[in-house]
Amino acid sequence: MSAVSHKDLANAIRALAMDAVQQANSGHPGMPMGMADVATVLFTKFLKFDPKTPTWADRDRFVLSAGHGSMLQYALMYLTGYEDITLDEIKNFRQLHARTAGHPEYGHAAGIETTTGPLGQGIANAVGMALAERILNARFGNDVVDHYTYTIAGDGCLMEGISHEAISMAGHLKLDRLIVLFDDNGITIDGSTDVSVSDDQLARFKASGWDVSACDGHDAEAVEKAIAAAKLTDKPSLIACKTTIGYGSPAKAGKSSSHGSPLGDDEIKLTKDAIGWAHGPFDIPAEILDAWRAAGSRGQADRDAWNTRMASIDAAKRAEFERGQAGELKDGWKEALNAFKKQTSEAQEKTATRKSSELVLNVLTEAIPEMLGGSADLTGSNNTKAKGMEGIQAGSYENSYVYYGVREHGMAAAMNGIALHGGLIPYGATFLVFTDYCRPSMRLSALMGLRVGYVMTHDSIGLGEDGPTHQPVEHLAALRVIPNMHVFRPCDTVETAEAWALTLEHTNTPSTMALTRQGLPILRTEHTEENLTAKGGYVLREAEGGERKVTLMASGSEVEIMMNARDALQAEGIPTAVVSMPCMELFDAQPLDYRLSVLGEGAARVACEAALRDSWDKYLGIKGSFIGMNGFGASAPIADLYKHFGITSEAVVEAAKGQLEA
């Protein structure tokens, strides 16, 4: 065992990376080869983890932000003994059904903390993880929560704009349990970074309140000293590790040619000769694998000590921590929410759904303490700060509200990290139009199946005078096409409450709530404990006076318009039903017979939404009519805008009659 050197351990990573990429004829060998020394020091000397218990709550988190270098992570996982990553998985790198996807995918293998690949996302996720650690540490103490978050990031990660948002937030909050290892190799796909960037990254991070240092990334002792020093600071830390991409390759080291292509059989042989690795493809000598497995077993003592501490703490405190980690909701929240629904139906107060959401949050956050709110500098407009919530600041992590600042993209990615960490349920907010800034992170929420709540207010031209730059028209359609994303657009306070319930109950699906600025009447005036929004769409008002002739469908603020149109059509003896469609994704998941009964077979169909038509075509068929937007909005008071764009009950009535007369 003592004969195995650091060089041997690091070269095992390099060999597996070269061999796997070559066999797949696809991948990125250069980064794993360059960062093998740094990763070896981290995993053998510092990282607190236990491959036999990969979801242990107090483990250190490791995030490979430079996800294209996925073979670095897979090699480390195989070598240290994670059961999900076998040598066969390494050999099947990038193949169908393999756990070893082209980029690390959360859920494919225990030990992969997050899905990375879109550059900058990982470092922003890591900020969320580090924040979650500090919050839970403040609530449960050092005996329960006391760990670090490490991330490896490359030049590309730090060029992406999201990295600025992430590092600014981390520095402001003094997230001292966050350590970023910068793969400072000076190479991107286009070649030397000199062609595209000249930032002083250390100065940039220092200006954002980080502790910064630099070291030779191929000097194991220097890397060890740098990480040890970073753990002693009261700030987040950046360590710029100067490395050579494709380290050891005679022809491709230090060149972009090693970044995203196999080295080739001949170059692999020359590289193995150069680094002193005299072993065939995927051949890891037993003594080297044993040394790696010994490194992987280091964390068992820490995990056992943690289990002992957990067994000795107050039983109620332990149960509360374990409940949060399991993602289970505290008893009593449904009863509290149903009482609120009943009160709302009886009071029938006209309310903007953004305000409705705040009223719901007042109930839910009291019943569910792990809910963690926030807003991207629009707290007063988004109404996301519930009664009793206080803002988290550096050194005051026990609170439950995050002022994310004007950092929509960073907020969304950090919320993913918070959800991935476990123990908290994050929700955050901005205007619906700014989901364009959040969208890459929202897509990853859906891809990973995370319970994240996106509260998006000012949902249509109904926001009024701020004009077309702030009026979303295409955003509902854009969000509705993201797989595994629930998009809720409630028509009143009752539906808003039901949408929040579903956001909490669906633990593997993120939710977007599109909420109004303008006041809306209570349309659900008869209380029921059944969550009608759970079906996605339902008949809000049945047709009267005979067989249904017309079905009027809408979401959100336009349901009121449909109710008025129904009254007019009914007055003319035309039996008309109104369908509220708060969540198309849930409606589409219902049995066909239910959907047909709601839409009304043979009835004329009209849909209305203060947005583009695209989402509604599947319900309208060839003959159906749509009342809504076909371009951008304008700056004017709300009433003038709806009249100008023809989103009125009169237009709905005319469209319905036109179909009946055709």
Side-chain angles (χ1 to χ4, degrees), residues 95-172:
Q95 304 309 300
L96 186 64
H97 304 309
R99 298 181 190 274
T100 46
H103 295 83
E105 298 281 354
Y106 174 74
H108 283 209
I112 297 174
E113 301 285 5
T114 181
T115 295
T116 56
L119 293 176
Q121 282 286 339
I123 190 172
N125 290 168
V127 170
M129 293 177 187
L131 176 57
E133 189 276 342
R134 288 292 83 192
I135 293 170
L136 294 174
N137 172 270
R139 296 183 182 186
F140 293 98
N142 290 337
D143 285 346
V144 180
V145 181
D146 185 14
H147 55 264
Y148 283 80
T149 300
Y150 297 92
T151 183
I152 289 178
D155 287 290
C157 292
L158 301 191
M159 278 192 249
E160 290 285 0
I162 190 174
S163 73
H164 172 76
E165 297 183 23
I167 70 170
S168 173
M169 183 161 56
H172 173 71

Side-chain angles (χ1 to χ4, degrees), residues 340-400:
F340 171 82
K341 278 176 58 178
K342 186 174 188 297
Q343 177 186 345
T344 298
S345 294
E346 293 171 350
Q348 299 186 27
E349 294 180 3
K350 189 172 186 177
T351 310
T353 51
R354 62 171 176 160
K355 180 63 177 179
S356 303
S357 175
E358 180 185 7
L359 297 174
V360 175
L361 287 170
N362 287 341
V363 175
L364 290 177
T365 56
E366 183 177 355
I368 305 171
E370 59 269 30
M371 290 183 72
L372 181 71
S375 168
D377 198 52
L378 290 167
T379 295
S381 295
N382 299 144
N383 298 86
T384 41
K385 189 178 180 186
K387 187 169 52 181
M389 279 186 160
E390 296 294 337
I392 289 167
Q393 291 295 332
S396 298
Y397 302 112
E398 68 278 0
N399 295 324
S400 54

